[in-house]
Amino acid sequence: MKFLKLILDFYLNSSIHVALSCYALVQITFHVFHIQYDNAMAMFAFFGTIVGYNFVKYDALVRVKRKLIGNQLKIIAVLSFISLFLVGYYFFHLKRITQIVSVVIFFITALYTLPFFPNRRNARNWAGVKIYIVAICWVGTTLVLPLINAGIPFSSDFFIKCIQRFVLVFVLVLVFEIIDLANDDPHLQTVPQTIGVKRTKVLGLLLLIPFWVLEVFVSTFNYHDVLINLIMVLMLMLFIAFANPTRSKYYTSFWVESVPVFWWLMILLF
């Protein structure tokens, strides 16, 4: 049992799980816009998420706090370097315009982590900004890049899906912020710190209504997608309702981050 826990912790701590969620959202984009599977795009998003998330999570730990690197962190560092190499490999298989937009997303991620301005904290520590940067990066990686690389022009469906994807990630981050309330720096001014846990839950539940209703306005409207989205909305509502600061880290780092994977699996099954 200890060994299995070690494997699970490594799987989560190395950001493989969140990368799988990113991969799932890219696959959902392929499905929604009828794009033929693009391995370079999907793998670029997958390995890019591993690199980006590990950089964000462990940069401050090693560079700023100068903590000793344990064995697990050494393995994660090796995995991140391999992933970085693969990101570079798949990057050169993307279209030029996709490469340019992906570099912009990379700089937003770097801004989130590194203090570019003298005597200023990084964007991750800017009051109230974190949740928006995370949502924008996910929309860019899982929706904008696949469409640009497929050469699909922006339409009303694209903008509807951008809003939906932004709302989805925003709501998922709200659950994380509720769980992390006790550990987050008060200066971050996360949504639960600003308006309280109860109101944050109400906000998350209310945001899921337009997320689902917008599906009706998509030109490729079909009942299967509407039903699948409804199931996912109900699942998210339960995660929001039962979220509290005393929950285990696995509640968010495994179960909540699995929502995009469940969504993708439902599409495959139905």
Side-chain angles (χ1 to χ4, degrees):
M1 189 62 77
K2 257 187 180 179
F3 178 72
L4 290 176
K5 187 179 182 300
L6 280 172
I7 296 295
L8 177 61
D9 285 342
F10 174 77
Y11 171 70
L12 298 175
N13 294 337
S14 62
S15 304
I16 295 173
H17 188 59
V18 69
L20 182 62
S21 294
C22 183
Y23 178 87
L25 287 176
V26 171
Q27 292 281 24
I28 291 165
T29 299
F30 291 161
H31 163 76
V32 170
F33 290 94
H34 307 289
I35 300 170
Q36 189 174 0
Y37 177 71
D38 184 345
N39 185 64
M41 184 67 255
M43 291 294 101
F44 177 77
F46 178 81
F47 290 111
T49 303
I50 291 177
V51 173
Y53 264 73
N54 286 346
F55 180 61
V56 168
K57 282 195 290 187
Y58 302 114
D59 168 71
L61 194 68
V62 177
R63 181 177 58 84
V64 181
K65 297 182 180 177
R66 300 186 183 279
K67 289 197 174 182
L68 292 174
I69 301 175
N71 290 330
Q72 187 182 92
L73 197 53
K74 287 178 182 176
I75 300 170
I76 290 172
V78 171
L79 173 67
S80 299
F81 278 116
I82 293 170
S83 298
L84 182 61
F85 172 79
L86 291 169
V87 166
Y89 172 78
Y90 288 114
F91 176 83
F92 289 107
H93 285 76
L94 303 176
K95 290 182 179 178
R96 180 60 57 87
I97 183 63
T98 315
Q99 292 174 346
I100 293 169
V101 176
S102 67
V103 168
V104 173
I105 294 171
F106 166 76
F107 276 116
I108 295 172
T109 306
L111 177 69
Y112 181 75
T113 309
L114 300 173
F116 282 100
F117 308 106
N119 304 317
R120 292 275 185 178
R121 292 182 170 189
N122 55 33
R124 192 182 191 186
N125 294 304
W126 294 354
V129 171
K130 169 187 167 184
I131 193 167
Y132 299 101
I133 292 178
V134 173
I136 288 168
C137 286
W138 274 78
V139 172
T141 303
T142 66
L143 186 61
V144 178
L145 290 183
L147 261 70
I148 290 174
N149 205 57
I152 294 177
F154 293 165
S155 61
S156 59
D157 284 359
F158 164 76
F159 293 108
I160 289 171
K161 288 299 172 184
C162 277
I163 294 168
Q164 283 184 312
R165 194 67 54 89
F166 184 91
V167 169
L168 171 67
V169 178
F170 192 93
V171 170
L172 290 174
V173 177
L174 285 181
V175 181
F176 273 85
E177 290 187 345
I178 291 171
I179 303 298
D180 295 338
L181 183 61
N183 302 314
D184 278 340
D185 186 331
H187 294 97
L188 283 176
Q189 290 183 27
T190 62
V191 178
Q193 287 173 342
T194 306
I195 65 174
V197 172
K198 201 170 279 186
R199 288 181 180 175
T200 300
K201 288 185 177 185
V202 172
L203 174 63
L205 294 171
L206 289 175
L207 284 173
L208 289 174
I209 297 170
F211 171 84
W212 185 65
V213 171
L214 280 170
E215 193 64 33
V216 177
F217 297 96
V218 176
S219 64
T220 54
F221 170 84
N222 70 73
Y223 290 105
H224 282 109
D225 284 346
V226 171
L227 178 60
I228 288 169
N229 281 14
L230 178 60
I231 294 169
M232 199 190 64
V233 164
L234 294 173
M235 186 191 308
L236 274 167
M237 284 180 168
L238 288 173
F239 277 126
I240 294 168
F242 289 102
N244 64 67
T246 61
R247 287 282 178 190
S248 160
K249 66 174 183 175
Y250 299 111
Y251 186 82
T252 48
S253 60
F254 183 79
W255 293 110
V256 175
E257 281 184 355
S258 295
V259 168
V261 179
F262 292 144
W263 188 10
W264 177 39
L265 289 175
M266 283 191 288
I267 289 171
L268 291 177
L269 289 171
F270 295 111

